[in-house]
Amino acid sequence: MKTPLYKRYADRRPVGSVCLCNTFGVLVFEPMEEDKPDTDFITAWSGSEGQTWGYHRNTVHYTAAGRGYLRKGSLRLYLDEIMRM
């Protein structure tokens, strides 16, 4: 049985983040080997107290102009706006 995403990525360091307001944002993780065939990135919501929740597998989508983005809920997180950590 596979381990849930929140348990596998809880101790991992994110490769990037997007700040949506002063105390809330999205963390972006590089996927582990078992997630790689169908996943480009793992994303999770992040709060002010250091808690993270809502881990989700993401693939990169592209606009008609060729700009890459990730979908998190109804948001488009453009790859060029993600701050590398």
Side-chain angles (χ1 to χ4, degrees):
M1 187 170 153
K2 286 183 108 177
T3 309
L5 285 176
Y6 73 93
K7 288 185 179 180
R8 281 191 280 162
Y9 288 91
D11 297 331
R12 297 204 40 149
R13 183 182 165 124
V15 295
S17 68
V18 178
C19 184
L20 301 175
C21 69
N22 286 346
T23 60
F24 184 73
V26 176
L27 296 177
V28 180
F29 298 89
E30 188 160 347
M32 294 177 165
E33 287 300 319
E34 58 265 19
D35 296 320
K36 281 196 177 182
D38 59 345
T39 304
D40 294 323
F41 292 99
I42 304 292
T43 56
W45 300 113
S46 175
S48 62
E49 303 291 318
Q51 73 272 23
T52 55
W53 68 96
Y55 288 83
H56 185 75
R57 292 178 176 91
N58 297 97
T59 57
V60 177
H61 303 279
Y62 295 94
T63 63
R67 191 173 178 201
Y69 65 92
L70 301 173
R71 301 277 314 172
K72 180 71 173 164
S74 62
L75 297 174
R76 281 187 178 190
L77 306 172
Y78 290 98
L79 296 178
D80 59 349
E81 294 177 355
I82 295 174
M83 183 175 60
R84 293 189 65 118
M85 298 176 89

